[in-house]
Amino acid sequence: MSVPIVLVGGLAVAAAERVADELAGDGTAVVHHDLCRVTEGVVRRRLRHRGEDTWTVLELGHGCVSCTLREDLLPLVERLSARDDVSRIVLHLDPRMEPEPICWALDRSRVQAVVTAVDHEQWLEDATGDDSMHERGLGGSADDERTVAQVAVGQAEFADVLVLTGPAGRLDAVFRRLAPTALRVPLGGTDWLGKLPANARRGRPDSAHGPLLRGEPPLHREDGFELLLFSERRPFHPERFHAAINVLLDGVVRTRGRFWLASRPDTALWLESAGGGLQIGHAGPWLAAIDDWDGVDDDRRAMAALNWDPYYGDRGQEFVVLTDGADHAEITAALHEALVTDAELAAGLSAWDGYHDPYLFTDREDELR
């Protein structure tokens, strides 16, 4: 039987450390990589197991989070998994590390739970702010462009368990919409580990072409938070969409969704925003643009068939926007105005090819998983 893995992280550093301490003991191996000097190529690794507490200084060829994952964390997990005296592995993540890419690299069937520690007083400010990770002294590499908001929201959204340092207050409303399947528990104790719901993520990411709403989040307004669903078929005009994109940032906690531009009719694009940070990347081709569907998973086939349009195929605009004070009518109007007009739609592909496209990414390195 595979050794189960629990990931514990979050920007609430002291709380995450306490959770990891509470999970230690018996046959549990607790691994922590201190990345304070990662941009210098130096990482300190701590391993605790059966009373032993060992620190090792690692010198990496390149100073970044992904190098630490690839060159040390993954090989160490495999070595520990092969030991008879290890019954569980706890990965106590540095605040620079996000659980989703680690779960991509691990055998996700082994992930027992993803736990995120949340500072109940600081999280919302982090999740809606503009600070970069480097400005907080938390850069994961020399060229880390992530914002604190992107990391805070990503860590919470991917969690099976949200451990709060104090009363949830308004956070209860935001987390019921951002991470509806996650348990929300107070700091102290680990009895929640055996109470995860059947639909817990356990390291499984969402597909870029799957349903955008996970679980059953409330759609009504509560404590200022509300979900906006935007869905249209016709493409965005690339320049008008680029001009309108800030409407998905101000007063918004999170935006997730797929879309298409008239200038890129074959390519599905994916958008995520958190606070003042936004990312756009490829999500592969639309099924309507390819003839061979071999290798396409059954869930995507079923969803495409359910929503297939005789003209557009599976192409479409779909966003879920979690707002905190933003005007839904303003967001919807701005996105509608960015769609191609009736006249532009009638002009067709030959005209669309001539549209200026402000989005310069072209390589596979820009694709999202």
Side-chain angles (χ1 to χ4, degrees), residues 264 282 356-363 366:
R264 297 169 182 258
H282 290 185
H356 172 64
D357 190 336
Y359 300 95
L360 302 179
F361 50 81
T362 56
D363 301 324
D366 296 294

Side-chain angles (χ1 to χ4, degrees), residues 150-164:
Q150 287 173 311
V151 174
V153 171
Q155 290 173 337
E157 185 177 58
F158 200 69
D160 297 308
V161 182
L162 294 165
V163 178
L164 278 70

Side-chain angles (χ1 to χ4, degrees), residues 88-108:
R88 179 172 64 190
I89 298 172
V90 171
L91 300 182
H92 171 203
L93 306 183
D94 185 274
R96 297 161 182 80
M97 303 181 84
E98 297 180 66
E100 184 170 3
I102 296 173
C103 289
W104 272 108
L106 293 169
D107 178 354
R108 292 189 292 279

Side-chain angles (χ1 to χ4, degrees), residues 243-309:
I245 208 164
N246 282 349
V247 78
L248 298 175
L249 300 176
D250 298 332
V252 171
V253 178
R254 183 60 148 175
T255 303
R256 297 175 67 252
R258 51 189 166 264
F259 68 102
W260 67 301
L261 301 174
S263 52
R264 297 169 182 258
D266 294 342
T267 304
L269 299 172
W270 179 261
L271 181 148
E272 288 184 352
S273 78
L278 184 144
Q279 178 185 9
I280 292 176
H282 290 185
W286 295 107
L287 294 184
I290 59 177
D291 296 323
D292 186 359
W293 288 17
D294 287 346
V296 177
D297 66 78
D298 292 340
D299 287 343
R300 185 178 177 190
R301 287 172 183 258
M303 187 163 178
L306 183 65
N307 298 290
W308 196 266
D309 181 271

